[in-house]
Amino acid sequence: MADFPTSARVVIIGGGAVGASSLYHLAKAGWTDCVLLEKNELTAGSTWHAAGNVPTFSSSWSIMNMQRYSAQLYRGLGEAVDYPMNYHVTGSVRLGHSRERLQEFKRVVGMGRYQGMDLDILSPDEIRSRYPFLETHDLAGALYDPYDGDIDPAQLTQALAKGARQMGARIERFCPATGVRREGDEWVVETPKGEIRCEIVVNAAGYYAREVAKMFGRDLPMMVMSHQYLLFDTIPELESWSKGVGHKLPLLRDVDSSYYLRQEKYGFNLGPYENPCRAHWASPDDPMPEDFSFQLFPDDLERLEWHINDAMARVPLLGQANLTKVINGPIPYTPDGNPLIGPMPGVPNAFEACVFTFGICQAGGAGKVLAEWVTEGATEWDMWSCDPRRFTGFEDPQYCVEKGMEVYGHEYAIHFPHHVWPVGRGKKLSAVHDRVAALGAQFGPYNGWERALWYAREGDDTSEAAQRTWEREGPWFGAVREECLAVRDACGILDLPGFSRFRVTGAGAVAWLSAQITGKVPAVGRLGLAYFADGKGRIVTEMSVARIAEDEVLLITAATAQMHDKEWLLSTLPDGLTLVDETDGWSTQILTGPLAREVLVAAGCEADLGKPWLTWSEGRIAGRSVLLMRVSFAGELGWEIHSRVPDTPAVFDAVMAAGRPLGLRPFGMFALNSLRVEKGYRAWKGDLSTDYTVLQGGLERFVDWSKPDFRGKAALEAERQRGVAKRFVTLTVEAGECDPPYMSTLWHDGAVVGETTSGYFGHRVGKVVALGMLRADLAVPGTVVEVEVFGERCRAVVCEDAPLWDAKNERLRA
Ligand SMILES: Cc1cc2nc3c(=O)[nH]c(=O)nc-3n(C[C@H](O)[C@H](O)[C@H](O)COP(=O)(O)OP(=O)(O)OC[C@H]3O[C@@H](n4cnc5c(N)ncnc54)[C@H](O)[C@@H]3O)c2cc1C
């Protein structure tokens, strides 16, 4: 015990593939004074029994980044650390049964190409040249991923551990973390072998992450699923084929039937994601054991029967093989299926790298991302999809179990842009939820809040099946058009519960805020948009700022940003200033359209409605106090009506009753999306992310260069001097049946020159509008480029650097 480390810069709790990769990447970044604690032997959690598949495929840009990085890292790792590994890069064939599935593949091929990967689409005839033993008569095509393969997960973990040790990091095996406590600015991690004082702690405890999080007082949103794969014996025909061609079959995924099938030696490994599926340790009569190291659940083949038969019909060779072994192990799931990588919410100097569903193929990238969070406080790629702060605390255990099962049961499902997953709904309801529901609202959740997406009319198809399309013109299209035109010609109202709002007060509040944002803090009585940059000048977040008094500001931001933005603000808030999270106390109606003022007057609103755009005022509607903010994300004359939750029904009723005769009509989030792209208004974590700097984002008019300093100023000045490499543009697109999704590539002269960040049909301008980032020399009005939409190149024209709709903002100022 004499050499047990008593201090370290970082302590990582958990020695699976992800913990080992985190240690390796910290050491690579020069942080070698790090210790990893593993309560058993390395890999004892989920890692030892993982199938070891290493796909790069993902329809998420950031997850694809992580997986691509992993695959690259694994190729050279054995040699780099002198630890030979079984890593077979076999390529993979992902089968598509439908046109929609092929569209998904084409989109991913486009994204992959942008990330430097040559993914490809195969016709049914071509599939057999890659995979000879396959029934193809009912297939629409396939995606070929030449980088896919399989790795031995234990060897991977040991190689990462060896590499980390070689650089000076330490690993303590059979040494559980049993508690943590804060002493001054340090953490003290308690273990049976002694205590370790450290600056930073990382929870990498896999499916035990929730237990470890409790030591920090955190209730971590996760659950545990059982996942099985089946190992089949040698098949002589496969053996002789494999020996003849000198390689293995590519990995096969029949995603519409929901399984993977991989050649394992000269037999097969079949892994279904079945539905119905099985959660574990989710109820009091099935408690999580104190220790489950190197253990498995009992086999449960019955629920896989359909998939086994389907796989045998697809690859008849499988029918010749004997089943030799079943592996049934625990996999942790968050409510959206993505892992947690990043700052631990509400806890200083603590991070998470846990709850990985695909932790083998993501371990490499996850270690890089975690190490960047720890050493730099920011990551190279925007990693919001994995940021622990995307969950805000409403995700109770039942919700986690239900959502985890939904994700697992649809592991390979297509995520369509207008589709809403049905489980775990109704967690947070607006004060006028019943009223908007009665008006036909079709809801979708935003940070748990149910918001109207669109309002169905008599006869509109509101089934979930109808949402499963990439096409623009689903059943909502006509209704959304009417909603947009009502906003254009008369007035619309959007019930918007859940806006995050923080009130900051105290002497020096404005000076503090000014140092955090790129622009000016508005004068008392005024409103403004504020951009928060990181030290590299990249866009961290955007908030509306209402200056309430000399030393008081109200900051309003996206529902999903509640935890993220609050932590961002608190991280620099000095003693003496107070920040109060008022999110739950208030609700908001967006009232917008040329008749918005008449509607408010008719509703008996007592307020100065003559105050100009970008001001706020106090008023009364139906005898209730309201805060009126003269802004409109829809780009028409309008006010946000902020009311206290108990007052909201009365306010809503008064406005609706007064507005109806004037043509007032409710509208939803789909219409708002259409209206805002026509104005070039950016959405957080789509158009605005840390993938772009404030200057690239075209937000220079929100930068006050005359301020002595603000976060990111030096980096932005340097960028301005060197010249901005790419720029935000609005494009009109001659698209076919589908709007360009997020991260569709932009082409010019046969080269990729940018990407879209939003795309939607603009009903006021009658065109498909895309927002995106384009190489700076091409970001000139009138330039013609092409947008790749599901594999099809569509002509697009760069618009003037002004909103497409109401270029001079005259309607807003009316
Ligand atoms: C049957 C099956 C097949 C799979 N196939 C694949 C696949 O093909 N590809 C893929 O990418 N993923 C696959 N997975 C998922 C993959 O196994 C996991 O995502 C991955 O192993 C997670 O790694 P990890 O390091 O996050 O967690 P783990 O491997 O679970 O490691 C966490 C470690 O923390 C330790 N620990 C817990 N509490 C403490 C404590 N208090 N103190 C110290 N140590 C502690 C545990 O002992 C454990 O070793 C599969 C999973 C299953 C069940």
Side-chain angles (χ1 to χ4, degrees), residues 566-586:
K566 188 172 169 178
E567 296 224 323
W568 184 259
L569 295 171
L570 287 175
S571 69
T572 59
L573 197 77
D575 290 345
L577 295 189
T578 313
L579 182 148
V580 180
D581 183 343
E582 298 185 348
T583 303
D584 291 341
W586 292 78

Side-chain angles (χ1 to χ4, degrees), residues 165-244:
R165 283 196 191 101
Q166 283 169 346
M167 289 182 270
R170 293 189 59 162
I171 296 177
E172 292 295 323
R173 296 173 300 132
F174 301 100
C175 185
T178 50
V180 293
R181 60 177 197 275
R182 195 94 178 123
E183 284 189 4
D185 284 344
E186 285 182 331
W187 284 106
V188 180
V189 182
E190 299 154 9
T191 85
K193 295 186 183 176
E195 296 186 341
I196 309 180
R197 290 183 172 274
C198 60
E199 263 176 59
I200 289 164
V201 186
V202 179
N203 178 357
Y207 57 80
Y208 274 100
R210 182 176 228 151
E211 305 310 304
V212 168
K214 283 180 192 159
M215 299 178 194
F216 295 85
R218 159 153 163 80
D219 187 13
L220 188 141
M222 65 167 283
M223 54 84 71
V224 179
M225 291 299 299
S226 120
H227 174 58
Q228 307 180 76
Y229 62 79
L230 286 57
L231 293 170
F232 293 84
D233 217 352
T234 295
I235 303 166
E237 197 180 335
L238 180 56
E239 182 172 8
S240 68
W241 177 85
S242 235
K243 286 181 173 164

Side-chain angles (χ1 to χ4, degrees), residues 47-375:
T47 296
W48 70 277
H49 55 60
N53 304 333
V54 186
T56 63
F57 180 98
S58 176
S59 54
S60 150
W61 178 256
S62 47
I63 301 269
M64 180 186 265
N65 253 327
M66 263 201 317
Q67 296 179 173
R68 175 185 51 77
Y69 174 90
S70 295
Q72 258 164 9
L73 174 77
Y74 301 168
R75 272 182 188 240
L77 184 65
E79 206 179 316
V81 305
D82 190 23
Y83 190 95
M85 288 189 287
N86 287 316
Y87 179 30
H88 310 111
V89 181
T90 56
S92 69
V93 174
R94 189 174 280 254
L95 307 180
H97 290 238
S98 65
R99 180 167 170 259
E100 287 75 19
R101 183 62 82 175
L102 277 199
Q103 285 173 297
E104 180 202 43
F105 290 171
K106 286 176 186 167
R107 163 160 162 59
V108 172
V109 166
M111 280 178 20
R113 193 182 299 114
Y114 200 6
Q115 292 200 10
M117 295 191 291
D118 273 326
L119 311 180
D120 207 359
I121 300 291
L122 305 177
S123 69
D125 293 342
E126 289 167 330
I127 301 174
R128 282 176 71 96
S129 66
R130 295 276 180 198
Y131 203 109
F133 305 105
L134 198 67
E135 277 303 323
T136 57
H137 65 276
D138 54 347
L139 298 178
L143 178 135
Y144 182 67
D145 174 359
Y147 312 95
D148 208 331
D150 63 275
I151 198 161
D152 181 317
Q155 290 178 340
L156 168 67
T157 309
Q158 296 296 351
L160 291 163
K162 183 176 180 194
R165 283 196 191 101
Q166 283 169 346
M167 289 182 270
R170 293 189 59 162
I171 296 177
E172 292 295 323
R173 296 173 300 132
F174 301 100
C175 185
T178 50
V180 293
R181 60 177 197 275
R182 195 94 178 123
E183 284 189 4
D185 284 344
E186 285 182 331
W187 284 106
V188 180
V189 182
E190 299 154 9
T191 85
K193 295 186 183 176
E195 296 186 341
I196 309 180
R197 290 183 172 274
C198 60
E199 263 176 59
I200 289 164
V201 186
V202 179
N203 178 357
Y207 57 80
Y208 274 100
R210 182 176 228 151
E211 305 310 304
V212 168
K214 283 180 192 159
M215 299 178 194
F216 295 85
R218 159 153 163 80
D219 187 13
L220 188 141
M222 65 167 283
M223 54 84 71
V224 179
M225 291 299 299
S226 120
H227 174 58
Q228 307 180 76
Y229 62 79
L230 286 57
L231 293 170
F232 293 84
D233 217 352
T234 295
I235 303 166
E237 197 180 335
L238 180 56
E239 182 172 8
S240 68
W241 177 85
S242 235
K243 286 181 173 164
V245 296
H247 59 79
K248 283 167 67 167
L249 283 168
L251 221 158
L252 185 78
R253 286 189 191 78
D254 193 337
V255 282
D256 293 312
S257 293
S258 195
Y259 60 78
Y260 54 84
L261 181 70
R262 197 185 84 208
Q263 183 177 339
E264 178 79 25
K265 301 199 176 83
Y266 300 116
F268 279 111
N269 171 337
L270 172 66
Y273 287 96
E274 72 282 11
N275 190 4
C277 45
R278 173 85 206 268
H280 271 281
W281 308 329
S283 61
D285 56 345
D286 179 23
M288 189 170 193
E290 187 78 9
D291 186 34
F292 200 69
S293 301
F294 294 113
Q295 294 183 55
L296 294 172
F297 302 125
D299 304 354
D300 184 5
L301 288 183
E302 217 168 285
R303 62 180 212 254
L304 307 185
E305 216 175 289
W306 183 90
H307 299 82
I308 298 170
N309 290 332
D310 192 78
M312 285 182 178
R314 180 67 55 204
V315 182
L317 208 55
L318 184 63
Q320 300 174 17
N322 294 318
L323 175 62
T324 52
K325 201 172 180 182
V326 177
I327 300 285
N328 184 359
I331 302 196
Y333 273 74
T334 63
D336 63 12
N338 285 347
L340 303 175
I341 320 172
M344 188 184 293
V347 184
N349 286 5
F351 292 83
E352 290 173 341
C354 49
V355 200
F356 281 78
T357 299
F358 295 101
I360 306 306
C361 64
Q362 292 170 0
K368 165 184 153 66
V369 171
L370 184 278
E372 288 169 352
W373 271 123
V374 170
T375 61

